[in-house]
Amino acid sequence: MARNLWIGRPGFMREIAQAAKSWDRTADLNVTEFKSLEGNITTVAPARTVRRIKLSWDALSPGDAQHLTRLARRINEPGSQGGPQPPYGPLALLDPASVNLLDPYQATAQSTQSSGTDHWFTVQGTIVVRPSLSDTVVADFQDAASRLGWRHGVWTGWPVMPGMQVSWLLPPDWNPATAVVQLDWKAVDGSYLASTSANGTGVTGTAPAGAAFVTPIGGPGATGVYGLAGACLTIGEPAIAFSLGDGCPAMSVTGYTDVPTVPLPYRNVGLDLVEVRGAQL
């Protein structure tokens, strides 16, 4: 179900089954070069990179074309006025080429904050996330019942739609004999709906009716210091340890083309999107 592209506001995503004619998902590296008088090159680059995605379709069906037009022009879905649809904000895009929906740095346990609060939070118990001797962070579980949650950078969880199959794999150095793994399903307003849990380091669950987000959770079932690298969250595919984190960033439309084609009412549509931390009208 999720191996096609899904795009829209969380809770209101639509599946675009038609393959895009062109599809560019290159990260914006923002590397600047400085050349000295001697001819030596020095480069300066930001610590984090931003994803830019360019998509275009030929002869897109009217329903799909209208959905993309609404996203680009910031128009709510039909019948949403006064309904549950929240104020307009960034878009969710489930990229079928993504192998691991965790943030790239989250998947390798790299944090911009020494406390790790940009990527993790304590669900229950006492957990201290701190830097290790390398450039990664580790979690000190101070009681066996502690549970750690993986945090999406923008929303209350990773965007899903009802019926999607989600797989979650804890870091591979956690002991499957004692670990507990869990998926928390949430509604579009962030309220809790249900959980899918298992003993071990991996679980697969199906998003229930009303689900708009999923939050991955886990606990090693023992006290001690545990690594956070190598976890994997996927939709529609098995989770694989140490997969590159492609992320599931919030996106904003920065460019849009809409060209009628034959036969009408089919249209050639193009979208340019950029990764954001927020989007305002």
Side-chain angles (χ1 to χ4, degrees):
M1 180 179 183
R3 295 308 292 172
N4 289 326
L5 182 143
W6 287 74
I7 186 171
R9 300 172 63 197
F12 299 88
M13 290 187 294
R14 180 184 177 98
E15 182 180 22
I16 309 297
Q18 180 176 327
K21 177 187 71 172
S22 65
W23 180 3
D24 186 338
R25 58 199 299 271
T26 305
D28 192 350
L29 300 182
N30 285 325
V31 177
T32 303
E33 293 187 11
F34 296 93
K35 188 174 183 179
S36 69
L37 294 176
E38 294 80 11
N40 297 318
I41 299 290
T42 301
T43 60
V44 177
R48 297 291 186 264
T49 58
V50 172
R51 178 74 57 81
R52 292 186 182 272
I53 295 180
K54 296 183 178 182
L55 298 159
S56 67
W57 293 266
D58 280 349
L60 195 60
S61 65
D64 289 346
Q66 289 179 22
H67 176 73
L68 297 179
T69 297
R70 289 191 182 98
L71 298 181
R73 298 181 63 189
R74 300 178 295 280
I75 301 170
N76 283 340
E77 295 296 325
S80 65
Q81 297 298 326
Q85 194 164 3
Y88 209 91
L91 305 177
L93 185 147
L94 295 180
D95 179 352
S98 293
V99 178
N100 185 355
L101 296 181
L102 295 183
D103 179 273
Y105 306 98
Q106 187 178 41
T108 55
Q110 299 177 61
S111 174
T112 59
Q113 303 173 20
S114 59
S115 62
T117 54
D118 54 339
H119 292 320
W120 302 275
F121 65 97
T122 299
V123 178
Q124 68 181 48
T126 302
I127 306 169
V128 178
V129 176
R130 55 180 172 80
S132 68
L133 294 177
S134 62
D135 61 350
T136 62
V137 298
V138 294
D140 184 358
F141 291 81
Q142 299 182 4
D143 62 82
S146 295
R147 298 290 182 268
L148 186 71
W150 272 249
R151 187 192 305 277
H152 191 281
V154 174
W155 297 300
T156 186
W158 276 257
V160 296
M161 291 294 285
M164 285 184 174
Q165 189 176 70
V166 179
S167 295
W168 169 229
L169 186 65
L170 293 172
D173 60 344
W174 292 22
N175 185 354
T178 58
V180 176
V181 62
Q182 182 172 314
L183 294 167
D184 278 2
W185 309 103
K186 300 175 182 177
V188 69
D189 62 359
S191 59
Y192 171 82
L193 292 176
S195 294
T196 302
S197 60
N199 294 322
T201 54
V203 68
T204 297
T206 301
F213 299 104
V214 63
T215 297
I217 294 171
T223 59
V225 177
Y226 290 82
L228 297 176
C232 183
L233 181 70
T234 63
I235 295 179
E237 293 290 325
I240 301 174
F242 293 112
S243 297
L244 171 68
D246 285 300
C248 181
M251 309 294 291
S252 184
V253 178
T254 59
Y256 159 70
T257 59
D258 181 357
V259 181
T261 189
V262 178
L264 290 173
Y266 288 83
R267 287 139 65 182
N268 298 338
V269 177
L271 284 183
D272 294 352
L273 304 106
V274 65
E275 178 181 350
V276 296
R277 286 292 175 176
Q280 299 178 342
L281 287 174

